[in-house]
């Protein structure tokens, strides 16, 4: 290409503008020099080089003078466009050059650089969109190019392979990127940091084995952090050296990010160093730690025996993280379910009841029910046992519900409940055969005289609790579940059966405060006669009446052995939740559908008209 044409292109694409006088002479024109070299005329090359040296002191001939491809000597404008990221302008300039000089093609170096740039842009776009499967496919199609590409392209392809469960290929690509002789220390550290969250720590150790220690010094904290995380995730063969732990503790002490002291806290908790864990968890909370940090703090307090403090922390952080809500229910449950429960203040019982009702916790409901039963609050016990059986019908809960019905003088309901769980809970059926309950109520004895309250400590501030003397805190009353939101749940009577429930369980109830909890639906009866014969459930022991020569009746299918329901062999029984899940309706279910199947579907979670 003639120099005038090159200058025209430069002017067209804004690369040659107004320059000060003499600025054009700052860079020698090597066009003639490269032309003579391409023509293999060393004498002319020497003469032109001598001329340029006299005119531009300090100038030296280019290193690729004799190796450059023909046509590459006048591609400077194209390289400038490429380096500036003006790919559209570069494409237009290449097309103009090809039109001006038929048969001209860019040099291999320029074509390769342009291809690598397009590859990098495509990889960046896939990473930004999170399309890891597509990026892994691109890595398969263009593996040779990716292996020789810049580090960013290589590690992005390796990340895609790791995220698509192709760890060996990812490790090979990371290894090749680190072994690239042209990679500097910064580039190798960048590759290693990219691999940290994707590979096991043992593989990271192998990748970093060939990097000098002085090159790894700037990322030492990152490597220690990853090793601590590996220990917390129980990766085999991983341990944190004392010197590394001390270095990271110093870093976490000065860091404003609460996740750094929290990591030290979890590591101390993992090693059962509870005082150390407590100290670091409190630091993390003070710096703005989230609900997961509070979860670790509550567990640490619990293992230190500070149950009340753990309860308060879990309650305070119950909404951001469901784990804290579950932990709050579990902490107080142990005291609530004791045969002789300790005195618990009314406000603690009320907040426990509120969380239980809001989360429909069967564990919390049965704990409140047992506490009410063992403290002679039988109306509240019956209400909470009903909720507990609806939300989580396990043997201890159904047993307590039957006892509460007995105590409330409801023999018919008592017998129906026992009959319902015949074949499933032997202890419940045993109430019909026992001379007296094996869990006597403390209400049969004279009630002890109430003790006076003691002062409470600042539990949320984690201050030490005052040492209680011989007096105990007051025994609170368990609130009625229907009084928590002022709306009574619909009364379930045999004449109304079923009411928005599964016919197999008339006690199923919606959480307090939900749209269905205050709605009484019209009666709906299932078609045909429901089977009433008892069925043995796999894994359940013998029933008490079998000691007297009775045996279970055949099931409605004619089977005499344990029932083994299988959706693959037969349709699910009508009225069960499994049958409702098998039959996917085309339209949202009506209230009548809910009444007959008991399936509370998402479409019914919005307010009813």
């Amino acid at each position: 290409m003639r120099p005038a044409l090159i200058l025209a292109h430069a002017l067209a694409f804004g690369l040659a503008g107004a320059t000060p006088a003499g600025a054009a002479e700052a860079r020698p024109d090597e066009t003639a020099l490269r032309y003579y070299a391409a023509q293999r005329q060393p004498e002319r090359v020497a003469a032109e080089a001598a001329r340029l040296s006299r005119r531009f002191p300090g100038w030296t001939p280019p290193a690729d003078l004799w190796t450059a491809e023909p046509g590459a000597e006048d591609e400077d404008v194209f390289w400038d466009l490429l380096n500036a990221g003006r790919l559209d302008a570069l494409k237009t300039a290449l097309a103009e050059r090809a039109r001006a000089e038929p048969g001209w093609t860019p040099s291999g170096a320029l074509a390769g650089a342009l291809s690598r740039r397009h590859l990098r842009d495509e990889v960046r776009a896939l990473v930004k969109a999170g399309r890891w499967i597509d990026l892994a496919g691109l890595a398969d199609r263009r593996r040779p190019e990716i292996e020789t590409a810049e580090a960013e392209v290589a590690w992005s392809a390796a990340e895609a392979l790791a995220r698509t469960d192709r760890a060996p290929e990812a490790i090979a690509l990371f290894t090749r990127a680190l072994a690239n002789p042209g990679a500097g220390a910064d580039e190798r550290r960048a590759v290693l940091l990219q691999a940290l969250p994707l590979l096991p720590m043992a593989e990271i150790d192998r990748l970093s084995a060939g990097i000098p220690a002085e090159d790894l010094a700037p990322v030492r904290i990152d490597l220690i952090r990853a090793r601590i995380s590996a220990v917390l995730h129980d990766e085999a063969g991983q341990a944190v050296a004392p010197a590394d732990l001390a270095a990271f503790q110093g870093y976490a002490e000065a860091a404003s990010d609460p996740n750094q002291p929290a990591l030290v806290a979890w590591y101390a908790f993992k090693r059962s160093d509870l005082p150390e864990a407590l100290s670091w968890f409190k630091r993390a909370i003070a710096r703005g730690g989230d609900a997961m940090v509070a979860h670790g703090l509550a567990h640490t307090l619990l293992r230190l025996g500070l149950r009340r403090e753990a309860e308060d922390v879990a309650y305070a952080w119950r909404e951001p993280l469901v784990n804290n809500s579950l932990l709050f229910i579990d902490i107080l449950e142990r005291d609530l379910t004791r045969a002789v429960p300790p005195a618990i203040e009314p406000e603690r019982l009320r907040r426990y009841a509120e969380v239980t009702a809001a989360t429909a916790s069967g564990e919390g409901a049965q704990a409140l029910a047992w506490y009410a039963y063992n403290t002679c609050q039988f109306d509240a016990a019956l209400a909470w046992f009903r909720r507990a059986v609806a939300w989580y019908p396990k043997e201890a809960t159904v047993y307590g519900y039957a006892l509460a019905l007995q105590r409330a003088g409801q023999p018919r309901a008592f017998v129906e409940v026992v009959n319902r769980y015949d074949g499933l809970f032997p202890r419940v059926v045993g109430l019909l055969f026992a001379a007296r309950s094996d869990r006597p109520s403390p209400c049969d004895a004279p009630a002890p005289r109430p003790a006076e309250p003691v002062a409470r400590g600042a539990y949320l501030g984690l201050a030490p609790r005052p040492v209680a003397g011989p007096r105990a805190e007051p025994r609170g009353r368990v609130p009625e579940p229907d009084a928590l939101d002022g709306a009574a749940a619909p009364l379930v009577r045999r004449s109304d059966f079923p009411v928005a429930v599964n016919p197999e369980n008339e006690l199923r109830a919606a959480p307090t405060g939900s749209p269905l909890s205050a709605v009484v639906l019209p009666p709906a009866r299932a078609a045909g006669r429901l089977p009433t014969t008892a069925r043995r459930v796999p894994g359940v022991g013998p029933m008490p009446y079998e000691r007297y020569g009775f045996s279970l009746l055949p099931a409605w299918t004619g089977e005499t052995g344990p029932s083994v329901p299988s959706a693959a062999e037969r349709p699910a029984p009508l009225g069960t939740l499994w049958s409702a899940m098998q039959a996917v309706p085309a339209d949202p279910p009506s209230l009548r559908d809910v009444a007959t199947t008991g399936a509370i579907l998402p479409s019914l979670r919005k307010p009813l008209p």
Side-chain angles (χ1 to χ4, degrees):
M1 177 184 275
R2 294 183 298 276
L5 185 58
I6 297 176
L7 181 58
H9 278 292
L11 289 173
F13 298 107
L15 293 177
T19 57
E25 299 296 329
R27 180 177 180 180
D29 184 359
E30 299 175 350
T31 304
L33 182 70
R34 289 187 177 277
Y35 174 79
Y36 297 142
Q39 297 297 319
R40 300 301 175 186
Q41 299 178 8
E43 298 82 2
R44 292 193 174 187
V45 168
E48 179 65 13
R51 184 184 72 82
L52 292 176
S53 297
R54 290 192 302 270
R55 189 167 182 178
F56 301 94
W59 173 86
T60 57
D64 63 342
L65 179 60
W66 295 100
T67 59
E69 300 179 29
E73 68 278 358
D74 53 359
E75 289 182 344
D76 291 344
V77 64
F78 303 134
W79 285 102
D80 291 338
L81 287 171
L82 179 62
N83 294 332
R86 302 176 60 186
L87 301 185
D88 292 337
L90 174 60
K91 181 178 179 181
T92 304
L94 291 174
E96 288 290 335
R97 174 81 179 263
R99 264 196 310 271
E101 297 184 28
W104 176 87
T105 57
S107 64
L110 179 60
L114 187 58
S115 175
R116 288 191 295 272
R117 181 58 179 266
H118 284 306
L119 176 62
R120 188 187 72 179
D121 291 347
E122 185 177 2
V123 168
R124 282 181 173 177
L126 292 174
V127 170
K128 185 176 181 180
R131 296 166 55 186
W132 303 111
I133 295 178
D134 293 339
L135 182 50
L138 178 66
D140 291 335
R141 295 192 303 273
R142 304 180 67 175
R143 181 62 60 88
E145 297 174 70
I146 287 177
E147 289 178 348
T148 57
E150 56 190 289
E152 179 187 357
V153 173
W155 79 50
S156 297
E159 180 176 2
L161 293 171
R163 289 179 179 273
T164 53
D165 299 326
R166 298 167 63 180
E169 296 173 76
I171 294 170
L173 208 50
F174 277 127
T175 302
R176 182 180 290 272
L178 289 171
N180 184 1
D186 291 339
E187 192 170 295
R188 287 195 295 270
R189 283 193 293 267
V191 173
L192 195 62
L193 290 177
Q194 192 72 17
L196 268 181
L198 302 171
L199 301 177
M201 198 60 202
E203 296 295 342
I204 297 297
D205 290 337
R206 279 191 280 270
L207 289 175
S208 60
I211 303 177
E214 57 272 15
D215 289 349
L216 292 177
V219 295
R220 182 191 178 197
I221 292 298
D222 299 278
L223 293 173
I224 298 173
R225 184 189 297 110
R227 196 173 305 281
I228 293 175
S229 179
V231 172
L232 292 177
H233 286 87
D234 297 318
E235 286 191 23
Q238 293 300 317
V240 182
D244 288 344
L245 179 60
F248 191 82
Q249 286 176 336
Y251 163 78
E253 181 67 42
S256 58
D257 178 14
N259 292 322
Q260 308 311 313
L263 190 62
V264 179
W266 281 114
Y267 182 72
F269 184 85
K270 176 81 172 180
R271 296 184 301 151
S272 297
D273 189 351
L274 301 180
E276 184 79 0
L278 178 61
S279 175
W280 282 101
F281 273 127
K282 291 172 69 174
R283 284 192 186 97
I285 287 288
R287 297 177 193 178
D290 58 11
M292 196 62 199
V293 177
H295 191 64
L297 175 60
H299 271 291
T300 304
L301 291 168
L302 190 60
R303 289 180 59 178
L304 285 170
L306 303 173
R307 298 181 61 81
R308 177 61 188 278
E309 289 79 355
E311 176 191 334
D312 287 334
V313 170
Y315 177 77
W317 292 86
R318 70 193 182 281
E319 292 184 356
L321 184 67
V322 68
N323 305 55
N324 288 326
S325 180
L326 298 175
L327 181 61
F328 171 73
I329 293 293
D330 291 342
I331 290 173
L332 195 54
E333 181 190 8
R334 191 176 77 174
D335 288 340
L336 290 172
T337 53
R338 290 181 182 177
V340 182
I344 299 176
E345 308 96 300
E347 62 270 23
R348 290 176 67 196
L349 286 174
R350 181 164 188 83
R351 75 178 185 182
Y352 191 88
E354 289 173 348
V355 175
T356 295
T359 59
S361 171
E363 294 287 359
Q366 62 89 22
L368 288 167
W370 278 119
Y371 184 83
Y373 184 85
N374 290 327
T375 55
C376 314
Q377 304 172 49
F378 297 112
D379 290 339
L382 189 59
W384 281 111
F385 270 128
R386 181 180 293 273
R387 288 290 202 286
V389 173
W391 294 334
Y392 187 16
K394 62 180 182 179
E395 185 174 42
T397 303
V398 177
Y399 178 78
Y401 182 48
L403 285 179
L405 288 171
Q406 253 187 340
R407 190 78 188 198
Q410 301 182 29
R412 183 185 179 92
F414 165 74
V415 171
E416 288 179 352
V417 167
V418 172
N419 181 68
R420 177 179 297 278
Y421 292 96
D422 180 17
L424 181 61
F425 298 146
R427 189 181 178 201
V428 177
V429 182
L431 289 173
L432 295 175
F433 298 89
R436 55 177 298 176
S437 172
D438 59 354
R439 183 166 185 157
S441 171
C443 303
D444 297 333
R449 182 178 178 180
E452 298 181 8
V454 298
R456 291 183 56 192
Y459 301 117
L460 282 178
L462 304 182
R465 296 189 61 187
V467 179
R471 299 176 179 176
E473 294 181 339
R475 188 185 302 277
R477 292 196 62 79
V478 176
E480 295 280 350
D482 295 333
L484 295 174
D485 61 353
L491 177 63
V492 178
R493 297 185 298 268
R494 174 63 74 180
S495 60
D496 297 330
F497 178 78
V499 180
V501 296
N502 185 331
E504 295 294 332
N505 184 2
E506 67 173 3
L507 300 174
R508 195 173 297 276
T512 301
S514 70
L516 291 180
S517 64
V519 176
V520 179
L521 300 178
R525 299 181 180 277
R529 181 172 179 175
L530 295 175
T532 57
T533 54
R535 284 167 238 176
R536 176 73 57 81
V537 176
V540 175
M543 293 294 109
Y545 49 75
E546 295 185 72
R547 298 196 303 266
Y548 301 97
F550 297 95
S551 61
L552 292 176
L553 296 175
W556 64 278
T557 58
E559 297 178 357
T560 57
S563 61
V564 183
S566 173
E569 298 177 1
R570 65 177 76 89
L574 292 178
T576 62
L577 293 176
W578 182 242
S579 68
M581 294 173 64
Q582 285 182 325
V584 180
D587 299 320
S590 63
L591 295 181
R592 176 72 64 176
D593 295 330
V594 179
T596 55
T597 65
I600 302 177
L601 300 177
S603 59
L604 291 178
R605 291 175 184 166
K606 57 187 178 182
L608 298 176

